[in-house]
Amino acid sequence: QVQLVESGGGVVQPGKSLRLSCAASGFTFSNYGMHWVRQAPGKGLEWVALIWYGGTDEDYAESVRGRFAISRDNSKNTLYLQIHNLRADDTAMYYCARDSAGLRGLDYNFDYWGRGTLVTVSS
Amino acid sequence: QSALTQPASVSGSPGQSITISCTGTSSDVGGHNYVSWYQQHPGRAPKLLIYDVTRRPSGVSNRFSASKSGNMASLTISGLQAEDEADYYCSSYTTVNTHILFGGGTKLTVL
């Protein structure tokens, strides 16, 4: 069965950097686009970033562009999110999610989600 | 760019039907069919309920249905059950910068 397991969250000081990971299993990871979605405590969902199945193209929400970097290692079935210059408003649960399109590209929906990893930015 | 607009809360009694609206613009909801809906129970990851405006993934109950008219999408839950009590989010591709928007979420209470 499809599994996505995030890791790398924790309590981090403002201005620091952090790398989140998402280990995928149960499907051919290299055939699917992937996303990061975050949810601040008690708030709604916010799409953060996407990367195409081959890793050749990516894009970001305007709110994180320039500070966040999404990447993937298809040989390790792992998705990453590098976050630089962390701010208090980056405090959130970060979910990785699979795009349903497969080799068709992107359908801009999320058919499988991990359980999330919590990032808390605090001094 | 602003999130899609959803009512903050809706409620209904067991067995009844409810509808949750999701209002956007011609750049997102009204401009294509990349509209989806998610259910999220407290402390859990979201779950895909509807994609491509009206399509249900396998395993999702046919009590969940959806539609779109103009810039507004709607999710209908029929035969309400206690387990349907959750937060519901709509999502849409947008041609404006952000690429994917979510609604603010609607809390469904089953009375």
Side-chain angles (χ1 to χ4, degrees):
Chain A
Q1 71 282 23
V2 173
Q3 275 201 311
L4 298 169
V5 180
E6 301 91 338
S7 61
V11 180
V12 189
Q13 292 180 329
K16 298 292 189 180
S17 297
L18 194 65
R19 188 176 82 160
L20 308 181
S21 300
C22 170
S25 60
F27 66 103
T28 303
F29 179 68
S30 59
N31 287 355
Y32 286 85
M34 298 293 295
H35 301 262
W36 287 98
V37 176
R38 69 181 180 181
Q39 186 171 34
K43 303 296 185 182
L45 300 170
E46 179 188 17
W47 174 78
V48 170
L50 65 83
I51 187 166
W52 282 63
Y53 57 82
T56 55
D57 204 3
E58 64 218 45
D59 214 340
Y60 301 90
E62 284 304 303
S63 59
V64 306
R65 190 184 300 273
R67 290 193 304 120
F68 287 30
I70 187 172
S71 63
R72 64 192 298 160
D73 186 336
N74 286 342
S75 69
K76 295 182 178 179
N77 292 339
T78 303
L79 177 73
Y80 302 100
L81 185 69
Q82 181 75 47
I83 308 175
H84 298 287
N85 190 21
L86 276 152
R87 310 187 310 212
D89 63 357
D90 293 323
T91 294
M93 183 72 79
Y94 285 75
Y95 296 100
C96 70
R98 191 183 82 167
D99 192 285
S100 67
L103 292 174
R104 291 184 289 106
L106 293 171
D107 273 348
Y108 305 100
N109 61 57
F110 319 102
D111 61 352
Y112 287 93
W113 298 66
R115 293 186 175 184
T117 187
L118 181 61
V119 174
T120 303
V121 183
S122 174
S123 54
Chain B
Q1 185 174 3
S2 300
L4 306 175
T5 301
Q6 297 181 232
S9 62
V10 297
S11 62
S13 299
Q16 288 186 332
S17 294
I18 63 95
T19 297
I20 299 171
S21 61
C22 172
T23 303
T25 70
S26 58
S27 296
D28 39 72
V29 174
H32 57 79
N33 288 330
Y34 292 127
V35 178
S36 51
W37 289 90
Y38 302 86
Q39 177 192 59
Q40 186 180 33
H41 287 105
R44 304 288 298 272
K47 173 188 174 183
L48 179 64
L49 290 178
I50 298 286
Y51 66 101
D52 294 353
V53 180
T54 61
R55 301 178 71 177
R56 259 190 328 270
S58 60
V60 172
S61 170
N62 59 9
R63 296 187 299 106
F64 295 92
S65 62
S67 62
K68 188 182 82 167
S69 177
N71 296 336
M72 188 174 77
S74 299
L75 173 72
T76 297
I77 309 173
S78 58
L80 270 179
Q81 299 178 0
E83 68 204 48
D84 298 332
E85 188 162 289
D87 294 325
Y88 292 83
Y89 294 90
C90 63
S91 176
S92 173
Y93 172 76
T94 173
T95 55
V96 182
N97 295 335
T98 307
H99 291 286
I100 300 176
L101 290 175
F102 280 100
T106 298
K107 182 176 180 58
L108 169 61
T109 300
V110 180
L111 303 170

